[in-house]
Amino acid sequence: MGIFDFFKSGPSDSKIQKATDTIKNAKAIRDDRVGAIDYISREVSDASKAVPALLSRFEYSLEHGINDSREKESCMEGIVKFKDQALPYVLDQLKSTTRIAWPIKILKALGDSEDHVIECLLSVLNFHDVSFDQAQTDKNYDILCHLADYKKLGLAEKISHFLKDPDERVRFAASEVLCEQEISESSRFIEPILTDANPDNSRIKQTVVRKYLEHRWSVNDPSKFVNRQVIGPVFVGPDNKLVVVQDQNLR
């Protein structure tokens, strides 16, 4: 009996478990796995059984990228149809996994507002010292990259924590989130970066300098810059905005 015949007579706990095991198995025959995904998506109306089963497919990737994407898209469709019922399981998955790209896509599809998505992403960030856990460090970095798409009052205060992270990528991602917030809120966190002489933060400093130039943001305390120089040809102008001066005698 093939897996399609096995599923024909409707759902039962044993069939749901068999389908779940097949979905989890990266080495299963592809047609069997596709059939299991379709069965769970179409026949199982209990979110507590269907959503975790479908979420398990995001824990691995296939070498064949097109097939991998198709299976994951099918799982996403099966999850999203549960709407709010699916949300607790998606959040649990985000907290427990390091493979967050697809669960975040699902979260965005389920979220009824940007504020809700931001709240969920913040709840998944790990604010503890994870410097000896590369997987958790990578996860924080990925979440911060997603948060850079959003602007919300109070977000800068929370994200500023990661400017002191031991990982440069995490610090960089945090600075990008902060640069996307209202400058009135984020300047107290990012302006000190303009005077940071640590070579480990040079990429972060260059990014913040570009943002100040691009948005014409004013510096709150120009006295902290020796000769009003920020970096290279970039200076604090008379109006306390950053300017690029090619001929320093003209500044």
Side-chain angles (χ1 to χ4, degrees):
M1 177 186 291
I3 195 165
F4 294 102
D5 294 324
F6 181 78
F7 291 148
K8 278 182 179 178
S9 60
S12 67
D13 286 345
S14 62
K15 292 177 181 178
I16 291 171
Q17 186 58 54
K18 181 173 178 64
T20 300
D21 291 342
T22 302
I23 292 170
K24 288 180 178 179
N25 186 1
K27 296 181 179 180
I29 296 171
R30 179 176 177 271
D31 285 346
D32 287 351
R33 195 169 51 245
V34 169
I37 292 170
D38 184 69
Y39 169 76
I40 293 290
S41 297
R42 291 178 180 274
E43 301 295 333
V44 181
S45 58
D46 185 341
S48 68
K49 295 177 180 178
V51 176
L54 295 171
L55 283 169
S56 68
R57 178 58 184 83
F58 302 110
E59 286 299 293
Y60 61 87
S61 296
L62 302 176
E63 289 185 6
H64 195 299
I66 294 176
N67 289 340
D68 186 65
S69 294
R70 285 175 178 169
E71 289 182 24
K72 288 175 176 174
E73 285 167 2
S74 295
C75 288
M76 179 173 170
E77 289 174 6
I79 293 168
V80 170
K81 75 176 186 179
F82 284 100
K83 299 181 180 178
D84 289 348
Q85 293 181 64
L87 189 58
Y89 305 103
V90 176
L91 282 176
D92 285 346
Q93 180 81 356
L94 276 170
K95 290 174 182 177
S96 64
T97 188
T98 57
R99 293 175 172 265
I100 64 171
W102 279 89
I104 286 179
K105 283 185 183 180
I106 296 167
L107 174 63
K108 290 179 178 180
L110 290 171
D112 54 0
S113 68
E114 285 193 356
D115 283 352
H116 186 232
V117 173
I118 293 169
E119 179 185 337
C120 292
L121 290 175
L122 284 173
S123 73
V124 178
L125 277 172
N126 192 327
F127 286 82
H128 298 101
D129 181 7
V130 295
S131 55
F132 296 105
D133 189 334
Q134 191 59 50
Q136 284 297 318
T137 298
D138 292 344
K139 183 174 179 178
N140 276 348
Y141 169 73
D142 289 340
I143 294 169
L144 288 167
C145 288
H146 283 281
L147 281 169
D149 293 334
Y150 300 99
K151 179 185 293 187
K152 183 183 179 183
L153 185 66
L155 187 57
E157 180 78 41
K158 294 181 175 69
I159 298 305
S160 64
H161 167 87
F162 294 97
L163 288 177
K164 296 180 180 180
D165 194 275
D167 191 282
E168 188 270 349
R169 297 171 311 132
V170 172
R171 298 195 303 275
F172 181 82
S175 70
E176 293 211 309
V177 177
L178 290 166
C179 285
E180 293 304 317
Q181 308 309 305
E182 293 292 344
I183 190 61
S184 58
E185 183 187 1
S186 62
S187 63
R188 63 192 175 107
F189 304 117
I190 61 174
E191 187 168 315
I193 295 172
L194 297 175
T195 56
D196 190 345
N198 186 343
D200 291 339
N201 289 332
S202 60
R203 183 169 73 120
I204 299 169
K205 182 173 181 176
Q206 289 169 11
T207 296
V208 173
V209 168
R210 282 197 298 269
K211 290 290 185 179
Y212 268 80
L213 286 167
E214 176 187 343
H215 294 290
R216 302 288 295 153
W217 290 333
S218 295
V219 168
N220 294 315
D221 189 358
S223 67
K224 291 187 176 181
F225 300 88
V226 178
N227 297 323
R228 299 181 76 91
Q229 185 178 28
V230 180
I231 184 172
V234 180
F235 290 80
V236 180
D239 58 357
N240 290 344
K241 293 180 171 61
L242 301 196
V243 293
V244 178
V245 180
Q246 299 303 332
D247 186 346
Q248 294 185 19
N249 293 321
L250 298 177
R251 65 182 176 88

